[in-house]
Amino acid sequence: MSDSMSEQDRLARAEQKLQSLEKLDDVGAGGWNWFTARTILTSGAGFFTDSYDVFIINLITPMLGFVYYADNGNKIPSDIEGILKGMSSVGTFIGQLLFGFLGDILGRKIYGFELLIIILGTINCATSASAIRGVSTIGFLGLWRLILGIGIGGDYPMSATITSEWSSAGKRGMMMALIFSMQGVGNLAAAITTLIVLAIFKNAVIADVMNLDYVWRICIGLGAVPAVGTIYLRFTMPESPRYSLNVEHDVEAAAAAKGQAVSAELSKQYTKVEEKRDHWAEFRAYFGQWKHFKVLLGTSLSWFLLDVAFYGLGLNNSAILAAIGYANKDTPFETLWANTVGQIIITCLGSVPGYYLTVFFIEKMGRRTIQIMGFAVTTVLFAILAGCYDILLEKSMPAFIFLFTLAQLFQNFGANSTTFIIPGEVFPTKVRASAHGISAASGKAGAILASFAFNALVDVGGAPGEHAFLPEVLAIFAGVMFLGLVVTVLWIPESKGRDLEEFEEDYVRPASVQQHAHNNDNLETESVYVDRELKA
């Protein structure tokens, strides 16, 4: 009886909302206007900077070899290179978890602090110097790349959550995909910037290779420019209307964020939460239920599995560069120039087109469908590459490059994009940033595992650098992609076209409310949400 009364009370409150609630419609969040442009600019610039800073290390590492390791054949020792490249990944893992939880505990208003960390880290990377005794330039560079990584990691849950909560149901996936696609643009920009700076210093480098010390510092430092250009917009962005309404229950702040006014009657229906929330208790209570935890398990495992195999494509870069004539050259300048041009070509081989295919098709095909397609196609492609690796390299390099391109295409027009988008949609506001941070950190853990484990595994049975075991490793990646497919089918829901309110715990389906209202007093309505009415 009490359960029945409780359900009636819930429906009665919903009916009351129908009669008195002023809709905070999508004037500010749904259309293509200043809010939309501001979100794309602020979040997109962050992801551009993130990918620039991550990718640039691959281009400057050979320069560091010429400048600091002339006695080692102009190459950084592999153990030092691995640590240098891995420090930002460790920092990213920390930042994803830290800012994910802070975004839910303190609110989305902390948006901007992660960009400050990125700027600080980037500038100090570019100006790294050595102590007279003790820590070298490379040591300090590694330290500051760890700090840089924390800022980059923080950008994942914050940008995803902000973009999701400021977008309407019909455009949300496209906007999030557009933000994420800036990774590809950032990669290209890093390579193009390196080419330009190398061209400027061409004569100086040919005359004295030590002038590369200026080149690598300038290339890194320029990564701070887009971040500095958008820091003001981040710090002046109002609190997310959804966080204000669904977590703080501050309807006036939610309306003000969207440039609207609110009636006294509506304001009375919400009581702003003044006492301190226990986010950890809310988190445990929500994910203590299997129906919710399995979704978090799905988003985390699919991202983890994707990043394990995503790294695998990079193991083929040396073969691709050699095949297209961009391997080592006679002089330092020619070697660096060829390496940079080769990286541009590899980035364009399916990677960038894959990002934008996701932008164009995500609202038509759906997130879950694209992720299933991506995992399924890459499972097949990795299996083919594994089974025919030696034959393709020796007798049909064009076919190898074609399969490599397809794999890059369907990783980006697939799980690499959707694993970022889905966690920003399928959880309620109170745990959305935390869940995205956990999912993203799981992916980064997969990348860290792959970079260390598979770097050693590919050389089993051969000399270092020969990648004698690579065909077998690619077969492992095919299995990993299949596991990602299984996880997606079992635990990932479809969020295409669904309002974020549908993922709140106290959501009541419109049909239920309409039926109750009809039975009481013939009140007709199209939609209602219990204790929520902020539509994006």
Side-chain angles (χ1 to χ4, degrees):
M1 180 68 177
S2 60
D3 289 344
S4 176
M5 288 298 295
S6 176
E7 181 65 19
Q8 288 182 5
D9 288 343
R10 291 178 66 208
L11 292 174
R13 289 198 302 271
E15 181 182 335
Q16 182 183 13
K17 292 287 289 296
L18 282 173
Q19 300 176 50
S20 62
L21 187 61
E22 291 183 358
K23 287 189 176 182
L24 299 176
D25 59 23
D26 48 4
V27 173
W32 291 99
N33 47 50
W34 168 237
F35 288 93
T36 305
R38 178 176 184 162
T39 302
I40 292 174
L41 181 61
T42 54
S43 299
F47 264 89
F48 175 93
T49 302
D50 296 347
S51 62
Y52 181 101
D53 288 334
V54 169
F55 186 69
I56 198 71
I57 193 68
N58 297 321
L59 300 173
I60 69 160
T61 299
M63 302 182 197
L64 297 175
F66 284 110
V67 175
Y68 298 104
Y69 294 94
D71 57 349
N72 192 53
N74 294 320
K75 290 185 178 181
I76 298 181
S78 57
D79 55 340
I80 296 177
E81 182 178 355
I83 293 173
L84 182 61
K85 291 183 176 180
M87 291 301 282
S88 63
S89 294
V90 174
T92 300
F93 178 85
I94 296 170
Q96 286 165 337
L97 291 175
L98 176 64
F99 277 88
F101 283 104
L102 288 178
D104 284 334
I105 295 171
L106 302 178
R108 320 308 191 223
K109 60 181 176 287
I110 67 170
Y111 197 43
F113 284 100
E114 73 292 329
L115 205 58
L116 275 182
I117 296 174
I118 290 173
I119 294 170
L120 176 68
T122 301
I123 292 174
N124 281 282
C125 281
T127 56
S128 293
S130 63
I132 294 176
R133 292 184 180 87
V135 183
S136 67
T137 301
I138 302 299
F140 279 113
L141 179 60
L143 170 65
W144 286 111
R145 281 191 63 77
L146 174 69
I147 304 299
L148 172 66
I150 293 175
I152 291 173
D155 206 24
Y156 275 74
M158 294 309 301
S159 287
T161 304
I162 290 287
T163 305
S164 176
E165 293 178 354
W166 278 97
S167 306
S168 64
K171 297 187 180 77
R172 189 174 60 241
M174 182 174 62
M175 284 189 63
M176 294 181 75
L178 188 60
I179 298 302
F180 193 67
S181 71
M182 294 304 292
Q183 280 197 338
V185 178
N187 286 354
L188 277 178
I192 292 171
T193 299
T194 303
L195 278 185
I196 293 172
V197 178
L198 274 173
I200 293 172
F201 281 82
K202 179 178 179 179
N203 293 331
V205 171
I206 292 174
D208 183 1
V209 74
M210 289 301 160
N211 283 311
L212 285 172
D213 197 38
Y214 291 104
V215 176
W216 75 261
R217 293 177 187 277
I218 292 172
C219 289
I220 287 182
L222 288 173
V225 173
V228 171
T230 54
I231 188 69
Y232 174 78
L233 289 176
R234 288 205 178 193
F235 275 115
T236 55
M237 185 169 251
E239 179 62 271
S240 158
R242 290 190 181 279
Y243 188 88
S244 295
L245 191 71
N246 295 342
V247 178
E248 296 178 329
H249 304 298
D250 188 348
V251 69
E252 293 180 340
K258 300 173 78 174
Q260 297 173 271
V262 64
S263 69
E265 187 176 6
L266 173 58
S267 183
K268 290 177 184 177
Q269 294 187 38
Y270 286 85
T271 303
K272 184 177 179 180
V273 178
E274 299 291 349
E275 68 274 11
K276 188 176 181 180
R277 292 170 49 237
D278 188 346
H279 174 68
W280 304 109
E282 291 178 346
F283 185 88
R284 289 193 301 270
Y286 182 79
F287 288 113
Q289 305 172 60
W290 170 247
K291 65 179 180 179
H292 300 315
F293 179 70
K294 70 179 181 181
V295 179
L296 179 61
L297 197 61
T299 58
S300 300
L301 279 178
S302 58
W303 207 333
F304 173 85
L305 295 167
L306 178 277
D307 273 17
V308 166
F310 192 71
Y311 175 80
L313 281 181
L315 296 175
N316 295 292
N317 284 0
S318 58
I320 296 292
L321 289 175
I324 59 180
Y326 288 95
N328 289 336
K329 300 294 184 179
D330 296 332
T331 67
F333 180 84
E334 290 175 341
T335 298
L336 295 170
W337 185 270
N339 177 65
T340 305
V341 173
Q343 292 297 336
I344 292 176
I345 294 172
I346 286 176
T347 302
C348 293
L349 285 178
S351 180
V352 173
Y355 283 116
Y356 288 100
L357 283 173
T358 304
V359 172
F360 292 130
F361 287 104
I362 193 161
E363 297 296 356
K364 297 180 178 67
M365 296 175 61
R367 292 75 157 141
R368 187 171 183 268
T369 302
I370 290 177
Q371 185 157 310
I372 289 173
M373 175 192 68
F375 275 129
V377 173
T378 49
T379 298
V380 174
L381 291 173
F382 273 120
I384 294 173
L385 285 170
C388 307
Y389 187 79
D390 292 327
I391 297 174
L392 288 170
L393 282 184
E394 294 171 7
K395 299 181 179 180
S396 186
M397 179 53 71
F400 181 85
I401 295 176
F402 175 72
L403 291 172
F404 176 88
T405 301
L406 278 184
Q408 283 210 134
L409 179 72
F410 281 101
Q411 282 199 324
N412 290 294
F413 181 34
N416 191 40
S417 296
T418 54
T419 50
F420 170 80
I421 295 168
I422 293 171
E425 298 181 310
V426 298
F427 300 104
T429 308
K430 64 183 179 182
V431 295
R432 183 172 293 127
S434 301
H436 196 284
I438 291 171
S439 301
S442 298
K444 188 53 64 177
I448 294 171
L449 171 67
S451 64
F452 287 104
F454 290 107
N455 256 346
L457 190 59
V458 292
D459 286 330
V460 170
E466 286 186 358
H467 290 180
F469 202 67
L470 184 52
E472 289 79 4
V473 169
L474 291 173
I476 294 173
F477 288 145
V480 169
M481 290 289 90
F482 181 74
L483 287 177
L485 174 62
V486 172
V487 167
T488 302
V489 171
L490 290 178
W491 295 328
I492 298 294
E494 179 57 76
S495 51
K496 181 185 77 169
R498 297 176 65 182
D499 194 284
L500 290 182
E501 289 297 332
E502 296 183 41
F503 296 101
E504 299 295 332
E505 278 191 286
D506 52 7
Y507 173 72
V508 174
R509 294 188 179 280
S512 301
V513 181
Q514 290 172 3
Q515 182 62 41
H516 178 79
H518 178 75
N519 291 341
N520 284 337
D521 58 5
N522 260 347
L523 179 64
E524 294 182 355
T525 186
E526 292 183 355
S527 63
V528 65
Y529 301 97
V530 178
D531 294 333
R532 306 285 192 273
E533 188 58 22
L534 183 63
K535 288 180 68 67

